[in-house]
Amino acid sequence: MKLLLAVITPKGLRQPEARSLVQMYMKRATPYLRTELLELPTEAAFVELLSKRNGRTAPYAVLGDSRGKAVTSEDLAASIETAALAGASEWLFGIGPANGWSSDTLAQAKLTVSFGRITLAHELATVVAAEQMYRALTIRAGHPYHVGH
Ligand SMILES: C[S@@+](CC[C@H](N)C(=O)[O-])C[C@H]1O[C@@H](n2cnc3c(N)ncnc32)[C@H](O)[C@@H]1O
């Protein structure tokens, strides 16, 4: 299974600090699973990506939303496990556009995840998601990162 981190960002991730942190966590994750960062110009492009990949191997889509479910990192690890057991070829975490996800897109998610009720800039939310994806993989693997960081 592959992990995708998709962010809706018309001009791409422009803050080098954010990009570098995202790339660092995604690189750290690769010993566990392949990862890919997708910078998409519009929510429509994201929905198209979901439908293009739909079918037998539909991605297991988890969407970041401040009004979503307050989950633990163990819950995220469990959702990756659930996707793997269900035979999904991709587990995807989506960071939405400046005005948030539409209700139609949210309805396509297996899980909506809140990092707290605060609103994070999409670049920061992407960094948090990348770290949580890495943390979830270390939890699945029994690696001590989750205990010490
Ligand atoms: C700038 S925020 C969107 C703000 C928008 N006004 C809203 O309320 O959804 C862009 C994206 O970052 C992510 N995000 C921001 N804060 C978040 C939080 N506290 N928890 C989870 N995701 C968050 C979400 O994916 C959101 O769609």
Side-chain angles (χ1 to χ4, degrees):
M1 194 171 71
K2 184 174 183 180
L3 296 197
L4 304 175
L5 175 52
V7 53
I8 313 304
T9 173
K11 295 181 179 165
L13 288 182
R14 283 160 30 116
Q15 290 173 4
E17 297 86 356
R19 177 178 289 283
S20 141
L21 281 168
V22 168
Q23 285 172 341
M24 179 189 80
Y25 286 117
M26 295 193 83
K27 190 172 172 198
R28 283 193 195 175
T30 45
Y32 303 105
L33 284 177
R34 286 176 303 137
T35 63
E36 187 178 347
L37 173 67
L38 300 172
E39 294 164 81
L40 303 170
T42 59
E43 182 169 345
F46 177 81
V47 171
E48 193 186 338
L49 177 140
L50 280 188
S51 66
K52 265 190 190 157
R53 294 179 189 240
N54 261 341
R56 266 183 55 218
T57 56
Y60 189 100
V62 176
L63 299 185
D65 182 82
S66 60
R67 294 164 296 270
K69 192 174 173 197
V71 300
T72 63
S73 299
E74 286 82 358
D75 292 332
L76 279 179
S79 86
I80 294 174
E81 195 59 31
T82 301
L85 290 173
S89 57
E90 292 163 323
W91 182 95
L92 176 156
F93 197 102
I95 298 295
N99 52 352
W101 295 112
S102 70
S103 52
D104 283 354
T105 305
L106 284 172
Q108 296 198 45
K110 294 277 195 290
L111 179 67
T112 59
V113 166
S114 172
F115 300 139
R117 301 294 296 275
I118 53 171
T119 299
L120 294 164
H122 73 280
E123 306 235 354
L124 273 176
T126 308
V127 172
V128 174
E131 195 272 344
Q132 285 301 305
M133 285 164 65
Y134 170 62
R135 184 177 292 273
L137 291 176
T138 64
I139 290 170
R140 271 181 95 219
H143 184 279
Y145 171 79
H146 182 49
V147 181
H149 293 82

